[in-house]
Amino acid sequence: MDTLTAFLADYWPHITALASLGIGAVAAIHAAMNKSDVRAAIAWVGVILMSPLIGPFLYLVAGINRIRHDQLSTQRSRSIKDYVNHAREPFTGVGALAGPQFASLRVLGDRISRFPLHDGNRITLLDGGDEAYPAMIEAIEGAQHSIALQTYIFDHDRIGLRFVQALEAARRRGVRIRVLIDAIGSKYSHPPIIRLLLRSGIRAELFMSNPLGLRMPYANLRSHRKILFVDGHLGFTGGMNIREGFMSSLAGSHMSHDTHFRIEGPVATQLFAVFANDWEFTTRERLPIEEWCVIAPQAPMPHVPARCVRSSPDRFIAATHNVLLGALAVAQRHVRIQSPYFLPDQTLMGALNTAARRGIQVDIVIPGRNNLRLVNYAMTAQLDQVLAGGCRIWRCRSNFNHSKLLTIDGGWSYVGSSNLDPRSLRLNFELDLEIYDPHLAGQIEARIDREIANAEAVTRESLAAIPFLKQLRNRVIWLASPYL
């Protein structure tokens, strides 16, 4: 022992240097062999080689996609296959309904989503927490058979406690309940509400909470999906987490805005198929679709064709990114976008600018006051690149708006959980809806236009007027935008 101690005391710098070189070499080789984006590969190799030990550790935490594309990806698709076998014939008449330019977009969706496009859905827009939370709690309170709830953030606050009370009452009625909360999102309030759920006898789990046996969550690969599925036929999805800041009665003048959707019809069952995939991936418990999805009554009129589009860092990576590129390619008149975190990559930015240069009016609405200061700095740093192509950018003067909304030509809408940033488009598990319906598109357009009417136009002159030191700060933070 004394000899070993003496050896380590004499040669620890050499051992440390050799260990850092070996670990760095392994990490750099892994990054070069596994990153599909050359810029990401170069960046990670640089960080690893220039920061011995620290660089490989950062890569281990934030750079590795641990969702394997083979066995686990196949497992995660089981419920989707069950759904497709369970579903009725797809809808193909979108050209006559929404516009002829959307016929090819429907084909693109068929090949990207893996979910068929179905008619027979009633989709109701819910304006923020004042409409969404009461409707969701009412559905839970009326549940007789089953409840599946998935969210990114589930705060331990006044609205969170109302959800727990409704879920506990449903459990006492004999309703089957499964609750899935993201491991990072569960930590936004203290104590985490999952403890209360478990004490209440509710089956609840955290998504992606324990990588490599360490007591720490993944920095990336978050489940950003929002799903509530009740009694086999009623669903809710959109952009809303569960937190009291979205209710005027609880947050008052500081209330944040968002948009959610109530769904009756075949698309509600698609929501469950996505939830069942994530639940099985997390717990290894399979939720048979034939047991959880009862024969539903026909949804009230009017009916709209719609489908789910899930994106995730497995075989569905870049699904939303590809849908957006296709949608911008078929646009003929007007593109409206509202996003709280607008950090498109160069490909998506090029598609936006190309649409504007074709004469399409492209309006992009972003918050004037963002809840994530660093993201706001990074967004500001690249707005000039979007303005260069002729897009119009608007900063809202109202309270923070968390809505993720996109419409094209008054006939097609894309709504859900995805932000237009690298994290949503490549790293997170997201869930969106594409909807072919002029009426709903008109409702969303009216919401966006109301924001524009109370917004300040961003111009190249206003960006140039920002003091140099702030511009420099914004650009430095923008360099880290893929991981904000």
Side-chain angles (χ1 to χ4, degrees):
M1 182 63 68
D2 292 339
T3 303
L4 178 60
T5 302
F7 176 80
L8 293 176
D10 290 339
Y11 293 100
W12 71 264
H14 308 82
I15 296 171
T16 302
L18 288 174
S20 64
L21 286 173
I23 294 171
V26 170
I29 290 170
H30 188 279
M33 295 298 294
N34 288 278
K35 291 297 177 183
S36 57
D37 187 326
V38 65
R39 292 166 298 179
I42 292 172
W44 274 118
V45 170
V47 168
I48 291 165
L49 296 182
M50 298 301 293
S51 303
L53 295 182
I54 296 175
F57 175 76
L58 292 174
Y59 180 67
L60 174 68
V61 173
I64 297 177
N65 181 353
R66 298 180 179 87
I67 306 299
R68 290 179 293 167
H69 290 232
D70 45 19
Q71 181 180 351
L72 290 182
S73 189
T74 300
Q75 168 199 310
R76 289 175 53 77
S77 297
R78 182 190 301 173
S79 295
I80 304 302
K81 293 176 181 176
D82 289 347
Y83 167 79
V84 173
N85 294 333
H86 189 76
R88 61 184 190 177
E89 289 300 312
F91 180 82
T92 58
V94 298
L97 177 65
Q101 69 268 41
F102 297 114
S104 62
L105 187 57
R106 192 268 306 170
V107 176
L108 176 68
D110 289 343
R111 295 174 178 174
I112 290 176
S113 169
R114 310 288 177 90
F115 278 121
L117 183 72
H118 284 316
D119 196 5
N121 303 287
R122 173 72 178 271
I123 300 180
T124 305
L125 187 151
L126 302 173
D127 185 7
D130 289 347
E131 291 187 1
Y133 294 150
M136 295 166 72
I137 291 173
E138 180 184 7
I140 293 170
E141 291 175 338
Q144 299 298 319
H145 174 64
S146 59
I147 299 169
L149 173 62
Q150 180 174 0
T151 186
Y152 176 59
I153 298 173
F154 194 152
D155 272 352
H156 194 144
D157 57 15
R158 287 171 287 184
I159 191 62
L161 292 176
R162 292 183 196 176
F163 272 87
V164 174
Q165 291 165 3
L167 289 167
E168 185 178 8
R171 182 195 61 78
R172 290 196 298 266
R173 294 195 305 272
V175 177
R176 289 188 296 179
I177 302 174
R178 300 291 187 273
V179 178
L180 186 60
I181 308 171
D182 184 77
I184 292 288
S186 72
K187 300 181 186 302
Y188 276 63
S189 63
H190 299 281
I193 205 163
I194 190 168
R195 301 177 188 174
L196 180 58
L197 290 166
L198 295 173
R199 286 200 303 268
S200 302
I202 297 166
R203 180 74 189 277
E205 298 284 350
L206 295 179
F207 182 88
M208 297 282 279
S209 60
N210 200 18
L212 304 180
L214 301 176
R215 291 185 174 273
M216 59 180 287
Y218 288 101
N220 294 318
L221 312 179
R222 308 316 325 155
S223 175
H224 199 234
R225 293 166 176 163
K226 289 89 177 177
I227 297 170
L228 175 62
F229 182 72
V230 177
D231 280 352
H233 63 87
L234 175 61
F236 295 83
T237 195
M240 293 197 64
N241 296 294
I242 299 175
R243 50 191 345 193
E244 65 180 38
F246 292 95
M247 289 199 73
S248 60
S249 60
L250 300 178
S253 61
H254 300 289
M255 179 190 71
S256 298
H257 302 285
D258 209 329
T259 311
H260 222 56
F261 297 87
R262 184 181 190 272
I263 302 166
E264 301 167 87
V267 169
T269 312
Q270 295 182 7
L271 297 180
F272 173 75
V274 175
F275 174 89
N277 257 327
D278 289 347
W279 182 264
E280 183 176 1
F281 175 71
T282 302
T283 69
R284 302 299 186 263
E285 179 192 14
R286 188 184 179 204
L287 306 178
I289 199 165
E290 61 274 9
E291 296 180 11
W292 281 71
C293 298
V294 299
I295 298 177
Q298 185 176 26
M301 298 294 286
H303 289 170
V304 303
R307 77 166 118 225
C308 287
V309 179
R310 60 172 183 155
S311 58
S312 51
D314 52 17
R315 67 174 61 181
F316 295 98
I317 194 167
T320 284
H321 190 271
N322 291 331
V323 169
L324 296 178
L325 292 177
L328 293 170
V330 304
Q332 295 184 359
R333 299 188 304 277
H334 201 158
V335 175
R336 291 175 174 88
I337 297 172
Q338 182 166 7
S339 178
Y341 314 121
F342 181 73
L343 282 164
D345 61 15
Q346 291 297 313
T347 304
L348 190 54
M349 195 183 306
L352 288 165
N353 285 340
T354 298
R357 291 185 178 114
R358 288 194 292 116
I360 312 303
Q361 183 171 321
V362 179
D363 285 304
I364 302 163
V365 178
I366 59 177
R369 290 178 292 177
N370 204 300
N371 67 331
L372 299 178
R373 184 176 299 179
L374 295 182
V375 173
N376 185 58
Y377 294 158
M379 286 168 53
T380 304
Q382 69 171 39
L383 293 181
D384 59 332
Q385 300 179 56
V386 184
L387 291 171
C391 299
R392 304 196 306 182
I393 302 174
W394 308 91
R395 280 197 181 271
C396 297
R397 294 190 177 96
S398 57
N399 287 2
F400 176 66
N401 197 319
H402 192 248
S403 301
K404 306 96 163 47
L405 306 170
L406 187 152
T407 67
I408 289 182
D409 294 347
W412 182 84
S413 306
Y414 199 76
V415 302
S417 70
S418 292
N419 301 304
L420 296 186
D421 64 6
R423 184 170 293 279
S424 275
L425 296 175
R426 295 193 65 85
L427 297 175
N428 285 347
F429 295 78
E430 304 282 359
L431 180 63
D432 301 288
L433 298 176
E434 66 161 347
I435 307 164
Y436 295 81
D437 177 51
H439 177 71
L440 185 61
Q443 287 183 290
I444 295 172
E445 287 178 342
R447 290 176 68 82
I448 296 176
D449 288 346
R450 284 195 297 270
E451 294 283 356
I452 292 175
N454 187 36
E456 178 183 356
V458 179
T459 65
R460 303 181 80 173
E461 290 75 20
S462 66
L463 293 175
I466 298 174
F468 172 77
L469 289 180
K470 290 186 176 180
Q471 291 189 42
L472 178 61
R473 173 204 62 192
N474 295 346
R475 294 294 288 187
V476 170
I477 294 171
W478 172 74
L479 296 176
S481 58
Y483 296 99
L484 291 178

